[in-house]
Amino acid sequence: MTERLVIFGTGQIAQLAHYYFKSDSRFEVVAFTVDAAYMDASRFCDLPVIPFEDIVDRCPPGNHAMFVALSYAKLNAVRKEKYLAAKAKGYAIASYVSSQATVLIDGQIGENCFILEDNTIQPFAKIGNNVTLWSGNHIGHHSVVHDHCFLASHIVVSGGVVIGEQCFVGVNATLRDHITIGERCVIGAGALMLADAEAGGVYLGAATERSKVPSHRLRGL
């Protein structure tokens, strides 16, 4: 059965959410919404943009669900704030789980999750509310990703890992088994985590340095 959906946001993630919900879900996107102070157009993706202050009157919660399509700005705090605001207005909060993801858990994915293609979520894992899993991640068995996290692409979360609230994990990071990442941690692209991380930590992978040999001197290329 098709359900009507309002998407919070008018940026690139909102545009992607519109595409995914439209092409691969039971939801029909009927409008977008943002705070009135941030409205710069009355239409987006050929649909109306409605001030969030007026959304209940224009798209009542009884007839519409909502999805908050925002990034990891301020360590996911902005997305968390708007997710809670939508719930406070009485909206059911939708999640998107790609039909091209391998999800081997039943009923263990929360509200306002955005789980894209080629994610593998193994048995006995748990995904909290308001979690984004960009494409191509591995979430190992018995691992827990708590609320308001954002995991970029091609991350390996081994078995039995706990990721605390409001964490960001960058592209190609690897988390070994049975470690705990404290809340509000930033795990940078390519980082290798072999031990627990205290809350509020920043862990950056080493960047590749430029070779002293210029490209025109390389042989075989």
Side-chain angles (χ1 to χ4, degrees), residues 23-209:
S23 62
D24 185 32
S25 83
R26 69 180 188 276
F27 292 96
E28 176 191 3
V29 181
V30 297
F32 292 85
T33 185
V34 293
D35 293 336
Y38 294 94
M39 276 191 63
D40 55 13
S42 61
R43 295 187 71 80
F44 184 72
C45 295
D46 204 30
L47 291 169
V49 180
I50 301 168
F52 190 58
E53 294 83 348
D54 302 333
I55 195 65
V56 169
D57 293 332
R58 298 276 297 277
C59 297
N63 301 327
H64 300 78
M66 189 172 289
F67 178 77
V68 179
L70 298 175
S71 71
Y72 47 83
K74 297 184 179 179
L75 264 184
N76 304 292
V78 178
R79 196 173 75 255
K80 174 182 177 180
E81 175 189 348
K82 299 309 177 185
Y83 159 70
L84 294 175
K87 286 180 66 69
K89 287 181 181 290
Y91 285 96
I93 308 298
S95 284
Y96 170 78
V97 180
S98 172
S99 63
Q100 299 179 54
T102 301
V103 179
L104 302 176
I105 55 178
D106 184 18
Q108 296 296 308
I109 295 176
E111 302 174 333
N112 210 69
C113 289
F114 198 36
I115 298 176
L116 302 188
E117 65 275 5
D118 299 328
N119 277 283
T120 295
I121 304 177
Q122 289 192 321
F124 310 112
K126 184 176 181 180
I127 309 299
N129 297 315
N130 197 30
V131 170
T132 296
L133 299 179
W134 219 255
S135 56
N137 297 300
H138 171 92
I139 309 299
H141 62 89
H142 297 91
S143 288
V144 179
V145 181
H146 282 289
D147 297 352
H148 319 301
C149 287
F150 191 110
L151 277 65
S153 294
H154 300 287
I155 294 160
V156 176
V157 177
S158 302
V161 172
V162 177
I163 300 177
E165 289 191 8
Q166 284 186 244
C167 285
F168 171 85
V169 185
V171 172
N172 285 331
T174 299
L175 283 60
R176 68 151 292 172
D177 59 307
H178 300 293
I179 63 173
T180 296
I181 305 299
E183 62 185 21
R184 298 185 309 280
C185 277
V186 173
I187 311 299
L192 173 62
M193 302 298 297
L194 298 177
D196 292 349
E198 293 186 11
V202 176
Y203 299 84
L204 302 179
T208 302
E209 296 184 0

